[in-house]
Amino acid sequence: MAPMGIRLSPLGMAVFCLLGLGVLYHLYSGFLAGRFAFFMLSEPAAGGPETPHGSGAVDLRELLAVSVLAAVRGGEEVKRVRDGNDLNAKAKGKTREGAEEQLTSGDLLSNRKMFYLLKSAFPAVQINSEERVDTADQETVSWNRSIPEDIKQKIQPKEVPAESVTVWIDPLDATQEYTENLRQYVTTMVCVAVNGKPVIGVIHKPFSAYTGTFMPSHLSSIFSHSKTPRIIVSRSHSGKVEQVARQTFGNNTVIIPAGGAGYKVLALLDVAEKNQEEADVYIHVTYIKKWDICAGNAVLRALGGHMTTLSGEEISYTGSDGNEGGLIASINMNHKALIEKLPDLEKTSHK
């Protein structure tokens, strides 16, 4: 019997129960539909076509594999042109210091091979290159999605959003030295940055076919050669750096003029390359393009080293294609202490 003397109609009770069941049905069916949609989005449909980069994702292990291949393929073009003495060199402008910048067939052919190989494999990824890409001269270069065994063994797959990735290509680093037939300085480079941070770096030396494993030097003090610190710099900037370096580190400081940012980074590492000089620190005191330094920055980061502006700021590989603050690079030493020792060089980097 209902309270207060109110009697419930059997028909009303039936309607109430039906309404309750209807509400529960809709709530539960919505929950099931949501769970079903979640699993459909999370797992590929069985028997469907393979989609290695679904929903705008990029696998960094695959990108590393194709970056290595691109650097090697570009290097083949660089070597072929130089061996055939078919450079067709011409001036493409001047640097901020007033030096003529050279452009050769090696630059252009290497750039075309590297750019279109990367673009065909990862069409959604932004690719920045030192040389202009002529769409009228497009080349079909495919990747068979093969990953070398050493990469498979050392690197696990890792997907990141395609929009977070920027690839920087230097199809021929040290073009001036290339025209002078100073082959030891020449490299081809690929760098991958995620959200501006360099995470993959490939440096290939086409004239020795060197793309080896990077191993850090074992430094016992602030310099590996404590009595004769060795600083590697651009050939055109050695005079600017030498005076300050000797005042800072002593008159016995060795200044190594060299060509190519890739070559200079390799000088900081213990690489099995007979034509590679060795140094403790790499310093650059003027404006430099990011495709020149991104790959080397990634390599140093992977090995626990550092590459920063002369004032110690991290270099971001998004936005503009140039770095205004100069750079200082080192590995296995007190990088902050090095920066504090070079206060005067930062002032020259914007000139």
Side-chain angles (χ1 to χ4, degrees):
M1 190 167 185
M4 303 295 294
I6 299 173
R7 300 180 63 184
L8 298 178
S9 165
L11 179 60
M13 287 288 292
V15 171
F16 179 81
C17 290
L18 286 173
L19 287 172
L21 288 172
V23 171
L24 289 173
Y25 172 80
H26 283 291
L27 287 173
Y28 193 66
S29 64
F31 172 78
L32 287 177
R35 296 297 294 175
F36 183 72
F38 173 81
F39 286 118
M40 288 295 289
L41 289 171
S42 301
E43 300 181 10
E50 183 179 356
T51 54
H53 305 299
S55 303
V58 172
D59 183 350
L60 291 180
R61 184 170 73 168
E62 292 187 357
L63 190 47
L64 169 60
V66 77
S67 295
V68 171
L69 183 61
V72 171
R73 291 277 182 87
E76 290 170 354
E77 296 297 309
V78 168
K79 186 176 186 301
R80 182 175 61 81
V81 169
R82 180 67 265 185
D83 287 347
N85 200 29
D86 191 22
L87 273 63
N88 295 316
K90 60 182 179 181
K92 70 173 182 179
K94 291 189 176 183
T95 65
R96 289 190 179 184
E97 294 80 42
E100 290 282 358
E101 283 194 290
Q102 296 289 310
L103 178 67
T104 70
S105 296
D107 294 88
L108 296 175
L109 293 172
S110 174
N111 183 67
R112 185 173 71 181
K113 188 76 69 174
M114 294 173 71
F115 178 86
Y116 284 115
L117 177 56
L118 285 157
K119 198 65 179 175
S120 66
F122 296 94
V125 166
Q126 178 182 341
I127 301 175
N128 297 334
S129 178
E130 179 175 9
E131 307 304 338
R132 186 174 65 88
V133 178
D134 189 351
T135 54
D137 197 26
Q138 183 171 348
E139 181 172 351
T140 301
V141 188
S142 60
W143 178 46
N144 62 6
R145 314 213 74 83
S146 174
I147 301 177
E149 284 301 318
D150 59 335
I151 293 178
K152 282 184 179 180
Q153 292 173 7
K154 296 175 183 178
I155 307 297
Q156 295 298 314
K158 181 176 178 59
E159 288 196 346
V160 297
E163 63 269 20
S164 70
V165 176
T166 307
V167 176
W168 297 84
I169 299 174
D170 194 342
L172 200 170
D173 190 40
T175 300
Q176 180 61 45
E177 288 74 18
Y178 182 66
T179 63
E180 298 172 22
N181 209 21
L182 299 173
R183 302 182 178 203
Q184 70 272 25
Y185 297 128
V186 176
T187 62
T188 58
M189 296 188 286
V190 181
C191 178
V192 176
V194 177
N195 294 322
K197 301 290 186 183
V199 298
I200 292 173
V202 179
I203 303 176
H204 175 66
K205 299 182 79 170
F207 294 104
S208 64
Y210 177 82
T211 324
T213 303
F214 300 101
M215 298 295 292
S217 300
H218 299 286
L219 310 180
S220 57
S221 62
I222 192 167
F223 289 109
S224 58
H225 310 277
S226 56
K227 294 183 180 180
T228 54
R230 300 165 66 85
I231 298 176
I232 194 163
V233 300
S234 294
R235 294 166 73 208
S236 58
H237 300 162
S238 58
K240 285 186 177 182
V241 179
E242 183 168 2
Q243 183 178 1
V244 175
R246 293 191 189 283
Q247 290 173 353
T248 303
F249 301 117
N251 290 330
N252 59 351
T253 301
V254 175
I255 303 298
I256 305 172
Y263 179 90
K264 297 184 191 83
V265 168
L266 290 178
L268 306 181
L269 310 176
D270 183 15
V271 299
E273 222 312 87
K274 64 179 181 180
N275 292 322
Q276 180 65 59
E277 294 170 281
E278 295 181 1
D280 302 294
V281 181
Y282 166 25
I283 295 175
H284 188 87
V285 295
T286 60
Y287 174 89
I288 191 168
K289 293 295 181 69
K290 291 179 182 177
W291 41 67
D292 290 317
I293 59 175
C294 187
N297 198 339
V299 169
L300 286 171
R301 280 170 59 91
L303 298 174
H306 302 275
M307 179 186 288
T308 66
T309 66
L310 292 171
S311 61
E313 297 176 353
E314 295 293 334
I315 302 168
S316 175
Y317 294 91
T318 57
S320 68
D321 60 12
N323 171 51
E324 296 278 358
L327 71 84
I328 180 168
S330 67
I331 189 167
N332 281 8
M333 61 177 61
N334 190 332
H335 192 78
K336 184 178 179 181
L338 286 172
I339 294 167
E340 291 171 351
K341 282 179 175 291
L342 297 170
D344 295 329
L345 287 178
E346 198 276 334
K347 297 175 184 178
T348 70
S349 65
H350 300 282
K351 293 181 180 179

